[in-house]
Amino acid sequence: MRVIQTLTALSCLALVVAIFAFSSETKPPKEKTNMSSDKIKAKTITPDGRLTEPVETAKVELSEKEWKERLSPDEFDVLREKGTERAFTGDLLKNKEEGVYTCAGCGLPLFSSDTKFDSGTGWPSYYQPISPGNMEEESDHSYGMVRTEVMCPRCGGHLGHVFNDGPQPTGLRYCINSVSLDFVPDTELKKTSDAATPSEKAEIVLAGGCFWCVEGVFEQIDGILDAESGYAGGDEATANYKAVCTGTTGHAEAVKITYDPSKVSLDKILEIHFATHDPTTLNRQGNDVGTQYRSAIFYANDEQKKAAEEYIAHLTEEKKFPKPIVTTLEPLKKFYPAEDYHQDYVACNPNNPYIQAVAMPKVEKVRAKFQESVRQYLTTP
Ligand code: FE
């Protein structure tokens, strides 16, 4: 009997705390700026444990069955069904270690331990997210209250609510279910050494005729860490200029573009690529004829493949070209760097007649059309 009375008293206390914690003055949701079709821009933790600056990251969309396989029943109830854990029961409520709190659904960093404070409500509380892009807000009219729900912007998982009664410097209180969170201690995070280190590197291999031109175009773009001429689509034995020139090796003259996604997006790279070669001429760019001059995107993963398919569909829909696009999408098996004398060919051979006639017009077109993307020292007199 005493046990039941105690439990009843505890339940009442939890309910009172819940009403108190969730009915304070609410903060109106911010404008939705972070929701594109399938990507968000947010800080992430790389597979090797580095916390990045905001980069584009694909949303996580799973079926109910897949979520149930991934999450514990309690996590599923809160993250996917918008449940609320009982106050004072969460594992991370009292955690005072330094580190990063991540989404238990998808691993997106959400809060830094620096912003955690003891609100007395029984739920982990923070005064700001780790970056504006790492939190999504929505008006919540459930239970006869008007509150601002906060969610993980990458997987849509319910986290809790945000109120206007938090401490300075923001005056906000993010009241979060502990079960929605995982914790990564600082000791497990690799530090990004300095600001000059790119936050994240990504690569894509593109072909669009002579690789000197494609490389010359991309060398100018801010956020491109490297553009390297080479061969893709064939075997190692024939990955040399003499063999590739025969047009029988399966190789295309291609360029491996290494880029910092926080500075230049894959969509922008594709936009520039399609603006600087003719994707409608099969195995040909101008006077350069042969399969080695085909228009191709060698994708390294499904995300790149999807982005390329969508971009081509967009160009087709918008009728950007008078003829059908014949660009091939090919899985990247291996990229073979070209001989040294092919690297930086435009920069090293500006007076070469081919460079003057074919490459320079593309380079100049990019400087005019994509001014905002060109390295500043190339546009500033
Ligand atoms: Fe998430």
Side-chain angles (χ1 to χ4, degrees), residues 243-366:
V244 172
C245 280
T246 64
T248 59
T249 62
H251 277 298
E253 290 196 10
V255 174
K256 183 171 84 176
I257 293 164
T258 308
Y259 62 102
D260 177 348
S262 71
K263 290 193 172 158
V264 60
S265 67
L266 181 55
D267 279 352
K268 179 59 76 177
I269 288 171
L270 293 173
E271 188 186 347
I272 292 169
H273 186 50
F274 280 95
T276 50
H277 82 289
D278 185 346
T280 68
T281 51
L282 187 65
N283 298 327
R284 169 174 203 157
Q285 287 297 305
N287 293 331
D288 292 331
V289 181
T291 55
Q292 72 273 33
Y293 295 117
R294 68 185 179 272
S295 169
I297 295 169
F298 294 92
Y299 59 85
N301 52 51
D302 286 347
E303 199 181 327
Q304 288 185 350
K305 185 184 181 200
K306 192 162 167 249
E309 282 171 345
E310 285 177 1
Y311 193 72
I312 291 171
H314 160 77
L315 292 173
T316 304
E317 206 171 287
E318 300 276 308
K319 299 190 170 58
K320 292 282 185 193
F321 294 95
K323 287 185 285 174
I325 292 172
V326 296
T327 305
T328 55
L329 298 188
E330 305 176 37
L332 177 67
K333 282 173 280 179
K334 198 170 174 189
F335 174 82
Y336 301 93
E339 297 81 351
D340 276 353
Y341 73 94
H342 287 299
Q343 307 301 334
D344 299 317
Y345 201 87
V346 172
C348 297
N349 302 277
N351 297 321
N352 173 299
Y354 181 90
I355 295 301
Q356 289 280 334
V358 183
M360 285 319 287
K362 293 174 192 270
V363 167
E364 277 154 18
K365 182 178 182 185
V366 165

Side-chain angles (χ1 to χ4, degrees), residues 103 105-108 152 154-157:
C103 171
C106 73
L108 190 78
C152 169
R154 186 159 70 180
C155 72

